[in-house]
């Protein structure tokens, strides 16, 4: 049994158009004056001039974490490229110069046009080497090739752009904890 | 042999008034865009600027410049199967009509000047015809031909539907438009627009004696100019863009400019019939002539004060803007400094000019010149004051057009027809009947 919803009856004033139109005009004029005299209250963001505040846990462009000596933390275990549903990560493993570590990536390439920003690579990484917390969301380039970012690009971040309590980032060269970490690792 | 005496020269000079609605087009577009954006809680156009002039944006007014350049330089596309001649002709009609119609609008009161053959009266209309208002109605009805012709010639079903809707709507609302204006003709007893304005100056504004006629006329004008809530000729969800869907570049721009010119003409017509035309409230032409120095001074002072008001708003915006964390703070600060300085200087300058006008322009002081050109000075000054008054009234009405467009949702097509034929026509007829009876009783 269908339920009938009664339509609201219009009053005489509503049927006569004009009083309702005057009400509507009042509303729009209120908005106009508000925008004219208090533009700061408008729910508007002048995008490139006032940058968006993007939370740290937003999945943005990737970065590769660095050891205290500036080498990539990545051990080329291929977990991320295996987990990647879009197959956008290409890794070539090479021998690490450090005796304590077996492998390092010679080539680490992410095709950002193919990436779906699912975050599974960061989840899969056993050594916390790949993160997606750069807050870089405006990706732009003039050719498809330039969207394939390599080791150099992924590691070109500065510890000062990350919070002080982010200990893994601060251990990288230039970070607050770099000297301490170097001593711990036995690197001069 | 033509003798170039003063009345003849003035009659030639009056042709410059034709371009007033054309000059109002960019102002109307600016009002439309900025009004729309602020009513929708956004900033509106604020990117276009002139780098050579310190990056000024003039609150978005500069946006007209890139828009115009874009329209002029885009490809003029002619669709396959279009009737090329009519297709190219159609966009010219609305703008041509918009250039013709100001010729019958009285821009200033009739002035009496001394020519080589004695005193001659120079009318405020370029085309001083007793049937002035009929010419005006006929001309403004012509602009629909551009719409229908363009729609038909562009060989597109969507355009044709838009054109048909526009013409049907035009026919429906022309009727109630004519009938609602007929009341004022009955009361005044003349079709001459100058006489209608003079009657209003002598008695009272048309809106007071014909309030119902005013509302009906305004509504019909919305429909006549094809503006929301009666923008049946357009309709993104139904017929893509309407009658100009196949037009690109400046041919589309001509339709676009024709629409705004039509609004300016509609504003001139409405203010002439119902809002006292070129008359300043409570001052007829004689009063303006007698106190020309004071009146012109007061007007210039009002403009100067509004410039100072704009400068104040600029300072206010600059304060608000400096609190926001933006990357273009330096540019904006420079721009606001330039605007603040410019408007302050212009405002103060105009106040000084106003004071000078009030003191100097007086027959006893000899005016700004010898006594023999004083009458001409008074005539031209009065005409300038009255043209300015009419332009202010037109702009106010244009603002109402914008305001209503961004307030009301559009009617469905059958609702437009029902409103036109079943409601407005009846009210207009009853209004006309009552007016006729009352006018007969009062005037005898």
């Amino acid at each position: 049994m269908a339920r009938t919803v009664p339509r609201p009856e219009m009053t005489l004033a509503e049927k006569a158009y004009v009083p309702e139109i005057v009400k509507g005009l009042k509303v729009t004029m209120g908005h106009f004056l508000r925008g004219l005299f208090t533009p700061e209250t408008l729910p508007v963001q002048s995008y490139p001039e006032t940058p968006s505040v993007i939370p740290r846990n937003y999945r943005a462009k990737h970065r590769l974490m660095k050891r205290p000596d500036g080498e990539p933390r990545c051990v080329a275990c291929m977990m991320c490229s295996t987990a990647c549903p879009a197959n956008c990560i290409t890794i070539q493993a090479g021998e690490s110069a450090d005796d304590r570590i077996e492998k390092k990536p010679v080539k680490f390439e992410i095709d950002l046009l193919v990436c779906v920003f699912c975050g599974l690579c960061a989840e899969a990484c056993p050594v916390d080497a790949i993160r997606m917390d750069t807050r870089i969301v405006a990706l732009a380039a003039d050719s498809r090739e330039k969207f394939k970012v390599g080791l150099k690009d992924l590691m070109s971040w500065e510890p000062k752009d990350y919070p002080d309590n982010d200990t893994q980032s601060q251990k990288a060269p230039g970070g607050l904890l770099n000297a301490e970490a170097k001593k711990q690792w036995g690197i001069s | 042999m033509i003798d170039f005496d003063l009345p003849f020269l003035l009659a030639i000079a009056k042709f410059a008034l034709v371009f007033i609605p054309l000059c109002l087009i960019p102002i109307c577009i600016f009002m439309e865009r900025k009004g729309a954006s602020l009513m929708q809680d956004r900033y509106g156009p604020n990117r276009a600027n002139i780098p050579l002039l310190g990056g000024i944006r003039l609150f978005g007014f500069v946006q007209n410049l890139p828009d115009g350049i874009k329209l002029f330089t885009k490809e003029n596309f002619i669709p396959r199967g279009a009737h090329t001649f009519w297709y190219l002709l159609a966009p010219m009609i609305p703008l041509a009509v918009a250039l013709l119609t100001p010729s019958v609008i009285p821009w200033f009161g009739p002035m009496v000047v001394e020519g080589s053959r004695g005193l001659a009266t120079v009318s405020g209309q370029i085309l001083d015809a007793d049937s002035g208002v009929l010419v005006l109605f006929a001309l403004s009805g012509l602009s629909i031909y551009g719409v229908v012709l363009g729609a038909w010639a562009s060989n597109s079903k969507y355009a044709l539907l838009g054109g048909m809707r526009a013409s049907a709507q035009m026919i429906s609302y022309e009727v109630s438009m004519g009938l609602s204006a007929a009341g004022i003709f009955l009361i005044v007893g003349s079709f001459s627009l100058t006489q209608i304005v003079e009657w209003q100056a002598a008695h009272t504004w048309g809106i007071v004696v014909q309030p119902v006629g005013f509302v009906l006329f305004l509504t019909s004008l919305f429909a006549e100019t094809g503006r929301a809530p009666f923008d049946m000729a357009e309709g993104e969800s139904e017929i893509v863009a309407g009658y100009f869907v196949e037009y690109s570049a400046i041919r589309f721009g001509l339709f676009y400019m024709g629409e705004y010119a039509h609004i300016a003409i509609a504003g001139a017509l409405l203010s002439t019939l119902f809002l006292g035309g070129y008359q300043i409230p409570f001052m007829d032409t004689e009063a303006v002539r007698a106190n020309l120095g004071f009146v012109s001074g007061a007007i210039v002072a009002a403009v100067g004060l509004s410039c100072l008001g704009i400068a104040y708003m600029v300072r206010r915006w600059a304060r608000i803007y400096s609190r926001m964390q933006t990357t273009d703070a330096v540019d904006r600060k420079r721009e606001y400094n330039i605007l603040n300085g410019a408007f302050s200087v212009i405002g103060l300058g105009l106040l000084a000019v106003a004071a000078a006008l009030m003191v100097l322009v007086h027959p006893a002081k000899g005016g700004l010149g010898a006594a023999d050109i004083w009458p001409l000075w008074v005539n031209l000054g009065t005409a300038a004051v009255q043209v300015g008054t009419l332009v202010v009234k037109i702009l106010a009405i244009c603002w109402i057009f914008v305001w209503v467009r961004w307030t009301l949702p559009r009617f469905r097509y059958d609702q437009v027809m029902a409103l036109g034929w079943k409601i407005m026509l009846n009210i207009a007829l009853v209004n006309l009947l009552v007016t006729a009876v009352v006018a007969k009783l009062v005037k005898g």
Side-chain angles (χ1 to χ4, degrees):
Chain A
M1 182 68 189
R3 194 166 64 94
T4 48
V5 181
R7 281 175 185 271
E9 274 290 303
M10 283 203 286
T11 61
L12 190 65
E14 281 168 353
K15 278 182 192 161
Y17 291 128
V18 179
E20 293 297 307
I21 289 174
V22 172
K23 269 188 211 167
L25 290 174
K26 245 189 249 170
V27 170
T28 41
M29 185 46 95
H31 280 264
F32 178 79
L33 294 177
R34 168 198 168 186
L36 198 61
F37 288 100
T38 53
E40 75 272 23
T41 63
L42 293 181
V44 178
Q45 180 201 3
S46 290
Y47 167 58
E49 287 91 23
T50 48
S52 304
V53 180
I54 295 164
R56 275 286 167 207
N57 54 3
Y58 186 89
R59 291 197 297 269
K61 190 185 165 188
H62 317 67
R63 65 171 170 145
L64 283 180
M65 304 297 284
K66 288 184 275 194
R67 294 221 170 86
D69 56 351
E71 284 293 300
R73 186 198 272 256
C74 174
V75 293
C77 68
M78 313 285 177
M79 287 247 198
C80 50
S81 64
T82 309
C84 179
N87 275 339
C88 67
I89 307 179
T90 316
I91 307 172
Q92 252 179 40
E95 205 171 322
S96 169
D98 194 321
D99 298 344
R100 293 166 287 188
I101 298 156
E102 195 180 332
K103 291 197 289 180
K104 71 166 190 180
V106 187
K107 181 185 166 199
F108 193 109
E109 197 178 83
I110 300 178
D111 191 340
L112 291 172
L113 285 181
V114 179
C115 178
V116 293
F117 296 94
C118 62
L120 288 185
C121 51
E123 294 280 335
C125 186
V127 292
D128 188 18
I130 186 167
R131 288 191 182 182
M132 295 181 76
D133 59 354
T134 51
R135 308 206 283 195
I136 300 170
V137 288
L139 302 167
D142 53 12
S143 79
R144 280 160 196 265
E145 285 308 308
K146 287 182 186 162
F147 280 102
K148 289 182 179 162
V149 290
L151 267 178
K152 199 176 162 220
D153 188 311
L154 290 169
M155 285 168 58
S156 64
W157 50 272
E158 292 297 326
K160 64 174 165 40
D161 296 333
Y162 293 87
D164 292 352
N165 58 6
D166 182 356
T167 48
Q168 298 303 327
S169 295
Q170 297 301 341
K171 280 179 183 172
L176 298 168
L177 308 172
N178 184 243
E180 201 180 314
K182 267 186 173 173
K183 210 187 297 166
Q184 226 172 4
W185 273 69
I187 320 162
S188 55
Chain B
M1 183 69 195
I2 308 165
D3 54 342
F4 288 96
D5 63 342
L6 196 54
F8 183 72
L9 287 177
L10 282 174
I12 297 293
K14 278 196 298 189
F15 277 90
L17 296 171
V18 165
F19 295 100
I20 289 181
L22 222 51
C23 300
L24 292 179
I25 291 174
I27 302 178
C28 279
I29 292 176
F30 168 67
M31 283 205 302
E32 176 97 286
R33 300 187 72 156
K34 211 67 189 173
S37 57
L38 288 178
M39 283 175 195
Q40 295 169 351
D41 284 353
R42 48 188 182 86
Y43 290 143
N46 65 352
R47 299 284 147 155
N49 61 62
I50 306 175
L52 292 177
L53 293 176
I56 54 165
R57 305 169 300 174
L58 276 178
F59 328 113
F61 192 81
V62 175
Q63 183 71 37
N64 284 328
L65 205 64
D67 281 355
I69 292 170
K70 187 194 102 175
L71 284 176
F72 271 105
T73 51
K74 275 179 88 173
E75 183 193 357
N76 268 315
F77 179 75
I78 300 177
R80 199 182 337 163
H83 300 249
T84 311
F85 176 73
W86 301 115
Y87 179 83
L88 298 183
L89 179 76
M92 303 172 192
I93 296 176
L95 204 68
V97 167
L99 273 170
L100 279 173
T101 31
S103 57
V104 282
I105 287 166
W107 292 95
F108 52 84
M111 54 166 85
V112 179
V113 292
E114 200 172 352
S116 55
R117 276 167 292 179
L119 290 177
T121 308
V122 178
S123 165
Q125 289 163 281
I126 297 163
L127 176 69
D128 189 12
D130 281 342
S131 56
V133 73
L134 297 180
V135 176
L136 195 62
F137 279 148
L139 282 177
S140 89
L142 268 184
S143 71
I144 199 73
Y145 279 77
V147 170
V148 177
L149 193 60
W152 174 71
S154 52
N155 188 29
S156 158
K157 303 273 189 299
Y158 290 122
L160 191 60
L161 277 172
M164 295 316 291
R165 283 184 181 197
S167 53
Q169 177 187 328
M170 186 74 159
I171 291 167
S172 315
Y173 281 83
E174 281 275 275
V175 178
S176 44
M177 184 167 142
L179 283 175
S180 55
I184 201 94
F185 305 146
L186 270 179
I187 294 172
V188 178
S190 170
F191 275 128
S192 160
L193 283 165
T194 306
Q195 280 187 34
I196 291 172
V197 176
E198 290 301 322
W199 184 91
Q200 292 180 72
H203 298 84
T204 176
W205 279 9
I207 187 173
V208 180
V209 287
Q210 283 280 301
V212 181
F214 173 76
V215 173
L216 287 176
F217 197 75
L218 183 62
T219 316
S220 307
L221 279 182
F222 289 144
E224 167 108 357
T225 51
R227 299 271 301 178
F230 301 104
D231 53 347
M232 287 297 112
E234 301 157 38
E236 287 80 10
S237 54
E238 304 143 18
I239 47 172
V240 194
Y243 58 91
F244 51 73
V245 66
E246 300 292 344
Y247 282 88
S248 63
I250 194 61
R251 300 197 200 291
F252 163 76
L254 284 177
F255 275 129
Y256 188 65
M257 287 194 280
E259 183 189 333
Y260 286 98
H262 204 154
I263 293 168
I265 301 289
L269 183 57
L270 188 72
S271 51
T272 302
L273 287 181
F274 291 98
L275 298 174
Y278 50 75
Q279 303 285 4
I280 300 173
F282 310 111
M283 289 189 93
D284 59 3
T285 309
E286 279 313 307
V288 174
R289 289 171 64 89
N291 308 300
L292 181 62
F294 182 75
V295 173
S296 56
I299 288 173
V300 173
V303 177
L305 284 178
S306 21
C307 282
L308 289 181
I310 292 172
Y312 167 75
M313 287 300 286
V314 167
R315 285 199 295 277
R316 193 189 156 98
W317 286 326
R319 266 206 309 281
I320 291 169
Y321 208 82
S322 66
R323 283 202 296 269
M324 298 178 177
Q325 296 291 319
T326 57
T327 52
D328 63 341
V330 180
D331 290 346
R332 290 290 79 81
K333 198 175 172 204
R334 189 181 60 217
E335 188 214 350
Y336 282 136
N337 280 340
I338 291 172
L339 286 180
N340 181 20
F343 277 104
S344 304
V345 168
I346 293 172
L348 292 173
L350 285 179
L351 284 183
V353 170
L357 280 173
M358 284 193 196
V359 174
L360 292 179
V361 180
H362 195 272
K365 299 262 169 54
L368 293 170
D372 53 337
I373 69 157
W374 171 248
L376 179 65
W377 175 253
V378 169
N379 279 329
L380 292 182
T382 312
V385 163
Q386 289 179 334
V387 170
T389 312
L390 187 53
V391 166
V392 168
K393 283 179 184 175
I394 291 172
L395 283 178
I397 291 163
C398 289
W399 168 247
I400 290 175
F401 272 74
V402 171
W403 190 10
V404 166
R405 173 173 178 187
W406 296 105
T407 301
L408 299 182
R410 57 205 289 273
F411 285 105
R412 217 169 46 216
Y413 187 61
D414 61 314
Q415 289 172 333
V416 169
M417 286 296 139
L419 182 69
W421 288 108
K422 291 183 187 164
I423 302 174
M424 283 184 41
L425 183 60
N426 293 341
I427 299 176
L429 280 172
V430 171
N431 180 45
L432 183 60
L433 198 70
V434 172
T435 311
V437 171
V438 172
K440 179 72 185 162
L441 289 178
V442 171
K443 287 173 136 184

